[in-house]
Amino acid sequence: MTPHNRRRVQLILLLSVFAVPALLALALGQLGWQPGTRSFGEPILPQRSFTDIRIPLGGDTVWAWRDVEPRMTLIALPGPACAQACLRTLAMMRNARVTLNQHMDRLRLLYVGTPPPVAERIIHDWAIGSDPAGALAAFRPSQPDSVAAVLVESNGTALLHYPAGFDPSGLRKDLKKVIR
């Protein structure tokens, strides 16, 4: 091999070191594979804003979707007759917030509905609101003793829906990804 051809081969090998991974990433992207983007909740598509939804908290107070500082909202939507399984899921949702450690103040908890009397110790750090217009009915489960959740961005955009029977440890993993 002549020195001229050797330099040409070296140049081609050097370019292939950079080009092959880029081409592979492009091909995988075209096939729909995206690393690290799997979430445990279902994406809310098309995206919608909750800023026009009025959630009364009692008295004249209404839930402020846009807070003074950027904080996400985790909404708990209980099904009819919230009992043991529902309360267990609510406790695990609260615990998922606690596992955020120093970032737990970046997540607000909102319970939309009438809590059962035995829930006081579980939801003491939740804001309690109502949905008189039924704007969140599409996300509320119809099964008894169940709860669904919706994760809302600090600007009021609904991100993820966790239907009844969701895995609270998956919710915890999603929260750790989006709240840093």
Side-chain angles (χ1 to χ4, degrees), residues 42-179:
E42 299 172 357
I44 296 176
L45 297 173
Q47 283 190 338
R48 52 187 281 205
S49 175
F50 281 10
T51 55
D52 294 335
I53 297 176
R54 290 182 41 86
I55 303 292
L57 299 175
D60 293 335
T61 309
V62 176
W63 183 259
W65 295 106
R66 292 188 176 140
D67 199 11
V68 271
E69 56 185 73
R71 296 192 294 174
M72 300 184 90
T73 302
L74 181 62
I75 306 171
L77 298 161
C82 183
Q84 192 173 12
C86 174
L87 293 174
R88 186 172 36 253
T89 304
L90 288 169
M92 292 166 88
M93 290 168 68
R94 183 196 65 216
N95 292 347
R97 177 179 180 255
V98 171
T99 62
L100 296 172
N101 295 326
Q102 73 267 20
H103 299 295
M104 86 177 194
D105 62 335
R106 296 191 52 209
L107 179 69
R108 303 180 299 167
L109 301 174
L110 174 62
Y111 182 94
V112 178
T114 304
V118 296
E120 289 177 11
R121 65 179 180 84
I122 293 175
I123 61 171
H124 67 277
D125 46 356
W126 294 70
I128 310 295
S130 62
D131 183 17
L136 300 174
F139 301 106
R140 190 177 297 277
S142 58
Q143 307 94 305
D145 196 21
S146 63
V147 65
V150 177
L151 184 61
V152 181
E153 180 66 65
S154 60
N155 64 3
T157 303
L159 295 177
L160 296 170
H161 174 237
Y162 297 87
F166 71 92
D167 178 18
S169 65
L171 169 69
R172 180 184 48 80
K173 291 175 185 173
D174 284 350
L175 289 175
K176 286 193 175 220
K177 278 191 262 182
V178 296
I179 298 177

Side-chain angles (χ1 to χ4, degrees), residues 3-13:
H4 184 64
N5 286 341
R6 191 176 335 188
R7 285 190 201 118
R8 184 173 288 162
V9 169
Q10 287 174 340
L11 179 62
I12 291 172
L13 288 173

